[in-house]
């Protein structure tokens, strides 16, 4: 995902395509309340996860970065080379008066393949694993959401975990808002990945 990658590498690396709000997600409930909470999600390429959350009513910001590893302030190159233990992740800041944490988690499952333990779509390797990083207060909500989602796929097949919240490290500036700022290059990922087809196979309906 560095800015100088050739097209062939772009197409063979994990394709990142944007997600849509979960079906049935409530619309924004009035004006900004000024309240702020954060949540962290890992779902393969952070460009895709960020793009999905950026488009949800009630989300204030989505920041691409890393979570779950042992290396402080890791660089993108360190994470993708392996050994840091980090996953590509996104920190979501939201207004809980406009969108609930449960709605965010429920929608997140539908944008990933929770049956895949080795990455997401064309993103392969440890840094592309999926997880919900939950605080102590968030964990019962995240676990309830996971149980509901797993019921439709089978608990044994549903391998994406809810993990304890850890420190989140933002990625380099050129990764932030990548889908919005680099639409042509981002589209190259989307076309080369097969993400929509896999989501349709897992969940029974196409998801972006």
């Amino acid at each position: 995902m560095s800015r100088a990658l050739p097209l062939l590498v772009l197409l063979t690396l994990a394709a990142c395509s944007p997600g849509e709000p979960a079906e049935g997600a409530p619309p924004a409930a009035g004006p900004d309340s000024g309240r702020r909470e954060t949540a962290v999600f890992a779902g393969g390429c952070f460009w895709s996860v960020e793009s999905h959350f950026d488009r949800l009513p009630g989300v204030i910001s989505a920041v691409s970065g890393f979570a779950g590893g042992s290396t402080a302030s890791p660089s993108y190159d360190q994470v993708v080379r392996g050994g840091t233990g980090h996953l590509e992740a996104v920190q979501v800041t939201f207004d809980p008066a406009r969108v609930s944490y449960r709605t965010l988690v429920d929608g997140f499952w539908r944008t990933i393949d929770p049956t895949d333990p080795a990455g997401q779509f064309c993103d392969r390797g440890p840094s592309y694993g999926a997880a919900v990083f939950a605080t102590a207060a968030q964990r019962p909500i995240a676990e309830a959401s996971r149980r509901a989602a797993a019921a439709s796929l089978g608990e044994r097949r549903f391998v994406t975990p809810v993990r304890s919240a850890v420190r989140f490290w933002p990625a380099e500036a050129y990764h932030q808002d990548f889908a919005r700022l680099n639409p042509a290059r981002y589209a190259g990922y989307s076309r080369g990945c097969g993400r929509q087809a896999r989501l349709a196979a897992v969940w029974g309906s196409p998801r972006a």
Side-chain angles (χ1 to χ4, degrees):
M1 294 180 200
S2 75
R3 282 176 284 187
L5 288 178
L7 179 59
L8 179 60
V9 175
L10 290 177
L11 294 178
T12 55
L13 285 174
C16 300
S17 60
E20 295 178 349
E23 293 180 4
D32 189 340
S33 72
R35 296 169 57 196
R36 298 291 183 265
E37 293 183 12
T38 60
V40 176
F41 301 89
C45 173
F46 48 28
W47 298 348
S48 261
V49 180
E50 180 193 87
S51 180
H52 163 69
F53 283 109
D54 266 339
R55 300 201 278 175
L56 295 184
V59 168
I60 307 304
S61 67
V63 176
S64 290
F66 313 103
S70 58
T71 300
S73 192
S75 69
Y76 172 76
D77 288 341
Q78 286 177 308
V79 172
V80 296
R81 279 199 306 266
T84 71
H86 288 289
L87 304 181
E88 288 197 12
V90 171
Q91 184 181 68
V92 179
T93 300
F94 62 100
D95 179 350
R98 302 180 70 213
V99 62
S100 69
Y101 177 68
R102 175 63 187 260
T103 295
L104 296 180
V105 183
D106 285 349
F108 170 71
W109 302 125
R110 299 283 176 154
T111 68
I112 66 168
D113 176 0
T115 71
D116 188 347
Q120 286 295 300
F121 313 105
C122 300
D123 292 311
R124 315 311 300 165
S127 65
Y128 294 115
V132 174
F133 290 94
T135 65
Q138 292 170 341
R139 190 165 193 123
I141 301 169
E143 293 282 11
S145 174
R146 186 188 186 281
R147 286 192 297 271
S152 64
L153 299 182
E155 180 62 38
R156 290 186 179 181
R157 295 182 62 215
F158 200 106
V159 297
T160 298
V162 174
R163 295 174 56 175
S164 295
V166 291
R167 181 160 181 176
F168 174 84
W169 301 94
E172 294 87 343
Y174 70 88
H175 285 299
Q176 308 304 331
D177 296 313
F178 192 89
R180 179 176 63 84
L181 298 175
N182 303 273
R185 194 169 155 197
Y186 188 66
Y189 275 93
S190 299
R191 288 192 297 269
C193 186
R195 179 186 178 95
Q196 292 186 18
R198 181 58 189 159
L199 287 173
V202 172
W203 294 107
S205 60
R207 303 296 301 169

